[in-house]
Amino acid sequence: MNILFLKKLLFILGLATLTPFLGLGSKPEAPVKTSSIILQEVRSENELHAMQEKFCELTQLDKSKIEQVIKVRIAEEGSVASFKRNIDASLILWDAGVRDPHVFMATLLKDTQIDQTMIIHLYGPTVSSLLNEMQSQGEPQLSDNAMKILTAFEQVDSLA
């Protein structure tokens, strides 16, 4: 009886060690989503892809800068929900005829916590100055583009 039990036990243990080779192992884990897949989801949920295509028709807009902005904002916000306000404001500006890529970047970066030195390095001094203008409290000294951005955000808030 013990010999029969021992044979069965050895047989089962032998099969257990062979299962990976026989393809009988556990199901492989689902691959982790890459940042490019997450970016595609964000674009499809928030009309970013269509807006990016519109802006990429302009030759002076660097497409890689848009990718950087989106990645940074998603990392900052942790989700797309609060970033959606910036996207909606950008769409309002586009519909209003504002085609300036610096205004587009500044709108996506409004409320960001990125260091200004990094913004100047990545997006240029024009975007940085627009962000600084919007953070200042004196409305009479705002440029036309800064006023347009703030107005777009007011429209988004009034729609919500």
Side-chain angles (χ1 to χ4, degrees):
M1 177 91 171
N2 287 339
I3 295 174
L4 184 62
F5 176 74
L6 185 58
K7 282 184 180 180
K8 287 183 180 181
L9 181 65
L10 289 174
F11 178 73
I12 292 172
L13 289 175
L15 284 179
T17 58
L18 291 176
T19 52
F21 300 110
L22 297 174
L24 301 173
S26 62
K27 293 181 181 177
E29 294 182 21
V32 179
K33 286 186 177 181
T34 61
S35 61
S36 62
I37 293 173
I38 294 171
L39 283 174
Q40 291 303 328
E41 288 176 5
V42 170
R43 280 196 185 98
S44 64
E45 291 172 8
N46 297 284
E47 300 178 49
L48 253 183
H49 186 67
M51 187 169 61
Q52 181 178 334
E53 284 179 3
K54 288 178 183 179
F55 274 95
C56 284
E57 291 171 3
L58 304 173
T59 56
Q60 70 266 29
L61 183 65
D62 184 0
K63 189 175 180 178
S64 66
K65 304 256 184 203
I66 299 172
E67 299 280 330
Q68 292 169 345
V69 170
I70 296 167
K71 287 178 185 176
V72 165
R73 292 311 310 269
I74 291 171
E76 272 185 334
E77 301 296 338
S79 74
V80 184
S82 49
F83 181 47
K84 176 111 174 72
R85 182 172 175 246
N86 299 74
I87 296 166
D88 291 342
S90 293
L91 287 169
I92 288 171
L93 288 168
W94 177 268
D95 290 339
V98 181
R99 305 289 195 264
D100 187 346
H102 299 296
V103 172
F104 176 51
M105 293 298 182
T107 307
L108 291 177
L109 286 168
K110 187 179 180 297
D111 308 324
T112 188
Q113 302 301 315
I114 307 173
D115 181 55
Q116 286 295 316
T117 311
M118 185 65 73
I119 289 175
I120 291 171
H121 174 70
L122 292 175
Y123 310 111
T126 307
V127 173
S128 179
S129 66
L130 279 170
L131 292 172
N132 287 332
E133 277 184 69
M134 288 186 286
Q135 290 175 351
S136 69
Q137 299 301 322
E139 279 193 24
Q141 62 219 30
L142 290 178
S143 67
D144 187 40
N145 284 337
M147 282 300 292
K148 286 177 185 175
I149 295 170
L150 290 176
T151 304
F153 275 93
E154 288 172 6
Q155 289 178 10
V156 169
D157 291 340
S158 68
L159 295 174

